[in-house]
């Protein structure tokens, strides 16, 4: 998908959701976010097999003013309030989630559910919220691909 078409798609809050993104799509995603004036949040989970560490990285990547890392149980709530990040919409790119998927598949499923809940929360406000999960292995079957 060319960047202009990708940008138009990302600006459509009704189509927003949680998707798989191949490693080759990451630069196109960044360009499309810039064109659509959406805030891109990159969460690099390479070498992160523990959910507690993943939550700390996610909290830091969102510049969340909380003093401690979000917990998986309240992640959906945190993702529905980006009052400190003013933007026309939000895109979270979770890179290299394979190690986390291998060590904590149940936790990853909860993470995906929190992203999906946040998508619905933002849709009610007519604001696009997308989550793209970078998986190289068997986890690809969990998520649809965009395109």
């Amino acid at each position: 998908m060319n960047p202009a078409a990708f940008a138009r798609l990302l600006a459509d809050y009704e189509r927003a959701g949680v998707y798989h993104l191949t490693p080759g799509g990451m630069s196109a995603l960044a360009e499309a976010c810039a064109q659509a004036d959406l805030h891109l949040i990159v969460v690099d989970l390479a070498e992160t097999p523990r959910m507690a560490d993943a939550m700390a990285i996610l909290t830091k990547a969102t510049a969340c003013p909380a003093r401690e890392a979000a917990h998986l149980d309240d992640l959906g709530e945190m993702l529905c309030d980006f009052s400190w990040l003013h933007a026309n919409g939000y895109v979270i790119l979770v890179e290299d989630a394979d190690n986390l998927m291998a060590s904590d598949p149940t936790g990853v499923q909860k993470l995906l559910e929190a992203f999906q809940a946040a998508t619905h929360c933002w849709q009610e406000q007519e604001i696009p919220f997308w989550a793209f999960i970078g998986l190289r292995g068997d986890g690809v079957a969990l998520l649809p691909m965009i395109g």
Side-chain angles (χ1 to χ4, degrees):
M1 182 178 306
N2 71 53
F6 200 5
R8 285 190 302 276
L9 175 65
L10 292 177
D12 185 353
Y13 72 89
E14 292 178 326
R15 295 182 65 190
V18 183
Y19 293 88
H20 172 252
L21 186 70
T22 61
M26 293 176 190
S27 61
L29 177 64
E31 186 175 341
C33 285
Q35 286 185 21
D37 196 26
L38 302 179
H39 189 88
L40 176 61
I41 300 164
V42 178
V43 181
D44 186 358
L45 297 184
E47 308 302 320
T48 307
R50 293 187 37 221
M51 186 57 72
D53 295 335
M55 291 297 93
I57 292 167
L58 178 60
T59 301
K60 183 177 179 181
T62 62
C64 180
R67 294 177 191 229
E68 58 185 56
H71 298 281
L72 196 53
D73 294 335
D74 60 3
L75 179 62
E77 185 177 317
M78 183 195 90
L79 294 172
C80 288
D81 176 17
F82 283 151
S83 55
W84 63 93
L85 291 175
H86 299 284
N88 292 329
Y90 306 94
V91 177
I92 294 183
L93 169 59
V94 178
E95 295 182 301
D96 297 317
D98 293 287
N99 287 332
L100 189 59
M101 173 64 88
S103 67
D104 191 354
T106 302
V108 170
Q109 186 60 44
K110 288 181 181 179
L111 179 71
L112 297 176
E113 290 168 3
F115 286 141
Q116 192 62 48
T119 295
H120 295 302
C121 176
W122 287 105
Q123 283 173 334
E124 291 174 1
Q125 301 173 59
E126 298 183 357
I127 295 173
F129 176 92
W130 298 79
F132 289 94
I133 314 300
L135 294 167
R136 290 184 174 85
D138 294 337
V140 172
L142 286 176
L143 299 168
M145 291 185 70
I146 198 159

